Amino acid sequence: MAMGRLKNALLHAMALGCFFEPSFTAAAHARPSTSQQPRSVKGRTLPSFPPQSTVQVAVLETIKQHAKQASDGATPALVALLTSEGFRSSASAYPGCSPALGDASPQDILEWFGEELAVAEQVHNFAVDPMSSMMPDVTVEQAMEAHYPDFYNQWTLERLYPTPTPPSANCSLLRGQRQCDGTGMCRWTAATSTCTDLAVANVVDTAEVGIFGYPAFTGPQGTPRTMDETADRPIYVAFNLRKVDAGNPLFGAVSAVYSDSLRSRSFFAPLDTGYWEFSGCNTSLQSTGNPSNCSRVGPTMSSCNAVWDCDWRDGACINVIAVKANCTYKTNQDCEAGGHRALCTWMHGHCELAPPAARYPASSCAGWPENVARPSTLGLLDPPAWHHILLASVQTWIDHAAGAAGQLASLICRMKRPELPLTSLDVFKYWEANVDGAIALPKDIKFLVASFAALFGTAEGEQVQQWCSKSGFLLVWSLGTGHVMTSMSFTPGGPSFGYNHRAVDPIVATRLNATNNVTVSASTKAQFQEVWNYAATHRGNVTAAHPIRTRRELWSSLSVGFAQGPPTPSPSNLNFTALWAELPGELAVAPLGARHCADPARCIGTFVSTRDCLCYHDGFER
C-alpha cells in the first residue's frame, strides 16, 4: 500500500493541490474515448478513465518482459529455504502447521502458494469522510455525494480537491536548519540558507518512476500537468495473504476488496515501497538538499525521529542516510567493528545500516537492495511470476530468530492454518499489489469490509451500508483486534488478530438480493439490529473518526520508527469483542481460500457454520 499511500500522508500536508489550476486541460497523450456521461462535483466535471492508458499498457508490458526470468531465477533459493532445517523447525512451532504441510515437497508447497495467490484479496483501506482521511483518498461520503465513476488515485483527487498549504508546511517562512529540518516536511539548503519543500517529484515519483517505470510528470515542481497524467499512475493495494479480517487496517476503517478482473493489470512488490523508501533503502532521497545535521535537531528521541532522515540510536540522533553510505565494508569483521561501523551490521552477506530497536517491524534493505528495486524485479499474477517477490519478502523482514526460513514458515503456516493468532507486526508485512489502470465504480469493487469497533452503530456506519446498497456491494463487518486501530497497534506490544471474525451485513444483503444462499430470517435481522442499537446507544456522542489524528502522525510512526505503548482505547467504554459475540452466528464468514469455491471470482468467502460459499448469483448485475 504503498509508497504513494505512506508518502502522501506526508505530502498531503505539503498541499500539492496548491500547484494545480482549477480547470482541467487536454490530455498530454491520446486515450481511448469513453461513452460514459461525465459527472460533476462543485461545478467541475468528474473524469471517467478507460481501463488502461497507453502509458499504463507500456509500463505493464515492461514488467512482463522481465518478471518470468526474475521469478525463475529465484526458484532454487526458495526450494533451498523450504528444505532447510530452519523452515521445518520453525513450522513445527506453529500448532497444526507441520501436519498441514505433511510430506509436501517444495514444488508442492509453491504450487499451493500460487493457488492461494490467485484468490487472495486485493484490499485498499480508506476512510468514511474527508475529515477522517489521512491522505488524499476516496471516501465513502465523497463517492456517494459526487457519484464517482472511478475509484480515483491520490493524484487525481489532489487535482479534484486542491487544498491550501497549511502554515506548518510553509517551508519558505522557516528560518534556520534546526527549525526547517525539524518539520520532517522541509529541507534546509546550506548553500543558499533557504528552507524549501521536499521536492514533490523526488519524494513521490521515486517509486512510481524509479521502481515502477512510469514517466515523470511534466508540470511545475514535478506535479501532473493534466488530469490524464494523474490517471497514468497506479492505485495502491495490499495483498491480503494472511487473511486479515480487516484488510489493511492501518489506512482506514473501510476496506474495498477489488474484483478479480483487475488481477491481469496488477503488479506487486515484496513490501510497502513507502516503508522501503523511508527506511533508508533509497539513498537518492538525500538529493533534495544537504543531509540533515541530526545532532542539532534536538536532544530527545521524539524530536530526532520527527526528521525524515534522522534516527535515535544509543542515546544520540544520527543521520541514517549518511551512516548507511558508510556501511560498505566487505567482511563481517570490518562491518561490525567500532566507530561508524557500530551502527552497521552484517546481513544476507552484506554490510548495511543496522535496524534500530525502535523501528518495527525490523527490515533489511539487502532483502530488496536499491540496485534491484526496478521494474525488472516486480511480480505478476497474470502470467504468474512471483517467486522472486516471495524470496525478497522473507529476506527483507529480519525480526525472526530463524531468519528468512523462519519468515517463510510464519507466512506459510498462517496461510495453511489461518486460525493461528496473527501479530500486529505481521499485518504490516503485506505485499504491495498495485492496480495499473482505472478502477471503475461500482463494477470493479467485489465487496466492502467495515471496522466493527470504529463504525458499527454509528452514522458513518449507516453511510457505508447506504453506499453498499446503492452500489451493489455486499458488506461484511470485521472485529479485527476488538479495538479501533491506531499507529500504536502496530508495535511489539500491539494486540493480535484472530480469524473468522467477519460477519455479513444482513440489512445490505436483503436489500441487494444478490446471492442464492443468504436467507435472512426476521429473527436474525432483529438480533442484528438490536446489537446495532446497543452499540449506538452506548457509544454516546463519540463519532467514528479515524484514531490517527494527523497525517503527520502516520508518516512519523511508519517512516522513522513506530511509537511504543499500548493501543489507544476504543472511542467508548464498549467491549467490542463481547458485543461481537452477540451477533447471529449464521452471519459469520471466513475469507476465501484456494479450492474453496467453484467460481471464486463471484464469491467473497465461506460461511463458518456450513462452509458453504457466499457468492453473487449468476444473474446479479450492478
Side-chain angles (χ1 to χ4, degrees):
M1 222 61 350
M3 156 88 183
R5 307 205 77 197
L6 288 177
K7 287 186 299 191
N8 267 301
L10 162 66
L11 291 169
H12 185 67
M14 294 170 61
L16 304 185
C18 65
F19 301 123
F20 302 148
E21 71 282 5
S23 60
F24 302 147
T25 57
H29 50 271
R31 285 176 170 268
S33 62
T34 173
S35 60
Q36 186 166 13
Q37 292 298 314
R39 304 168 188 177
S40 63
V41 56
K42 296 181 179 180
R44 304 177 187 175
T45 299
L46 285 176
S48 179
F49 301 108
Q52 281 187 300
S53 69
T54 53
V55 166
Q56 290 166 329
V57 170
V59 166
L60 197 61
E61 184 58 34
T62 298
I63 295 171
K64 287 180 179 179
Q65 290 174 5
H66 302 280
K68 183 66 165 60
Q69 182 178 355
S71 181
D72 290 345
T75 303
L78 274 180
V79 170
L81 281 177
L82 289 167
T83 55
S84 68
E85 176 58 30
F87 174 77
R88 290 291 174 173
S89 61
S90 297
S92 66
Y94 297 97
C97 184
S98 290
L101 290 172
D103 296 327
S105 67
Q107 290 74 18
D108 292 335
I109 294 174
L110 291 174
E111 180 180 355
W112 160 82
F113 193 95
E115 293 176 354
E116 286 288 342
L117 273 181
V119 299
E121 295 170 348
Q122 287 184 272
V123 298
H124 178 103
N125 280 57
F126 57 101
V128 176
D129 62 90
M131 293 299 293
S132 302
S133 185
M134 298 176 293
M135 59 198 71
D137 206 349
V138 168
T139 66
V140 174
E141 181 181 291
Q142 289 176 338
M144 284 185 64
E145 290 181 356
H147 306 288
Y148 281 174
D150 291 340
F151 198 104
Y152 295 129
N153 67 22
Q154 295 100 319
W155 291 104
T156 301
L157 288 167
E158 283 278 10
R159 195 174 179 92
L160 281 173
Y161 301 98
T163 54
T165 304
S168 61
N170 196 340
C171 303
S172 62
L173 299 180
L174 301 178
R175 296 291 180 266
Q177 180 174 357
R178 179 172 179 176
Q179 187 181 51
C180 178
D181 288 344
T183 65
M185 296 178 287
C186 308
R187 167 63 57 235
W188 179 258
T189 303
T192 57
S193 296
T194 55
C195 185
T196 57
D197 290 346
L198 284 170
V200 174
N202 194 56
V203 178
V204 177
D205 289 350
T206 300
E208 293 182 343
V209 176
I211 300 177
F212 303 155
Y214 291 95
F217 290 135
T218 62
Q221 300 190 41
T223 60
R225 184 174 298 278
T226 67
M227 181 61 78
D228 280 358
E229 267 195 6
T230 71
D232 282 336
R233 297 303 176 91
I235 295 175
Y236 292 96
V237 184
F239 248 144
N240 194 10
L241 295 179
R242 291 174 170 83
K243 296 180 170 61
V244 182
D245 63 12
N248 190 14
L250 181 61
F251 289 95
V254 183
S255 179
V257 180
Y258 292 141
S259 297
D260 292 13
S261 60
L262 299 179
R263 296 175 187 273
S264 62
R265 41 192 176 95
S266 299
F267 60 84
F268 43 92
L271 76 164
D272 187 298
T273 49
Y275 184 85
W276 182 86
E277 292 279 353
F278 281 116
S279 291
C281 296
N282 183 6
T283 57
S284 67
L285 282 179
Q286 65 180 316
S287 65
T288 53
N290 297 329
S292 300
N293 186 346
C294 300
S295 63
R296 298 179 57 188
V297 168
T300 65
M301 178 186 293
S302 60
S303 60
C304 176
N305 286 352
V307 181
W308 76 276
D309 56 349
C310 297
D311 209 357
W312 189 260
R313 305 286 184 103
D314 298 325
C317 190
I318 67 158
N319 186 284
V320 290
I321 300 296
V323 172
K324 181 183 185 300
N326 289 316
C327 295
T328 57
Y329 305 97
K330 303 302 183 184
T331 68
N332 187 343
Q333 182 177 3
D334 288 340
C335 178
E336 298 185 350
H340 259 317
R341 289 166 282 186
L343 298 168
C344 305
T345 191
W346 189 261
M347 290 184 287
H348 305 305
H350 297 83
C351 185
E352 62 178 272
L353 180 69
R359 181 181 294 142
Y360 296 100
S363 60
S364 162
C365 297
W368 203 44
E370 186 175 4
N371 64 337
V372 172
R374 295 292 182 268
S376 59
T377 60
L378 297 171
L380 297 170
L381 278 180
D382 185 13
W386 48 265
H387 286 190
H388 57 307
I389 301 298
L390 176 57
L391 180 63
S393 70
V394 298
Q395 289 180 337
T396 294
W397 306 111
I398 57 174
D399 57 344
H400 196 290
Q407 294 289 346
L408 185 59
S410 173
L411 172 59
I412 286 178
C413 287
R414 168 68 185 190
M415 295 171 68
K416 279 283 188 183
R417 306 282 295 177
E419 68 273 14
L420 295 174
L422 184 69
T423 70
S424 54
L425 295 186
D426 285 334
V427 171
F428 189 68
K429 298 175 183 177
Y430 53 81
W431 293 5
E432 184 179 285
N434 302 324
V435 177
D436 178 56
I439 297 178
L441 290 175
K443 73 180 185 68
D444 286 337
I445 304 294
K446 197 172 186 180
F447 65 102
L448 293 188
V449 182
S451 166
F452 186 74
L455 299 173
F456 194 82
T458 68
E460 292 91 339
E462 288 183 359
Q463 275 190 305
V464 177
Q465 289 178 319
Q466 292 166 7
W467 193 38
C468 288
S469 300
K470 182 178 180 180
S471 302
F473 313 139
L474 284 171
L475 172 64
V476 300
W477 293 92
S478 69
L479 177 61
T481 64
H483 300 276
V484 176
M485 298 302 294
T486 75
S487 58
M488 290 185 182
S489 301
F490 294 84
T491 67
S496 295
F497 286 75
Y499 178 66
N500 286 351
H501 289 158
R502 282 181 175 177
V504 63
D505 188 303
I507 308 300
V508 174
T510 301
R511 291 171 182 167
L512 292 182
N513 191 28
T515 69
N516 293 323
N517 55 349
V518 178
T519 302
V520 181
S521 65
S523 60
T524 295
K525 289 178 67 176
Q527 184 179 349
F528 180 89
Q529 192 64 52
E530 182 179 355
V531 179
W532 181 282
N533 293 341
Y534 184 90
T537 300
H538 290 79
R539 283 181 185 271
N541 295 322
V542 180
T543 58
H546 195 283
I548 298 180
R549 293 175 177 82
T550 67
R551 297 159 180 83
R552 175 65 182 282
E553 180 186 345
L554 173 72
W555 174 77
S556 180
S557 65
L558 288 180
S559 63
V560 270
F562 286 81
Q564 298 227 22
T568 300
S570 301
S572 69
N573 293 321
L574 281 175
N575 182 329
F576 287 105
T577 301
L579 191 63
W580 179 267
E582 299 300 318
L583 291 174
E586 61 266 32
L587 301 178
V589 292
L592 204 62
R595 305 178 186 178
H596 283 180
C597 303
D599 188 1
R602 291 192 301 110
C603 302
I604 73 168
T606 57
F607 286 102
V608 174
S609 58
T610 64
R611 296 189 178 180
D612 291 337
C613 293
L614 173 56
C615 310
Y616 294 97
H617 60 66
D618 290 333
F620 179 73
E621 293 184 4
R622 297 190 177 101

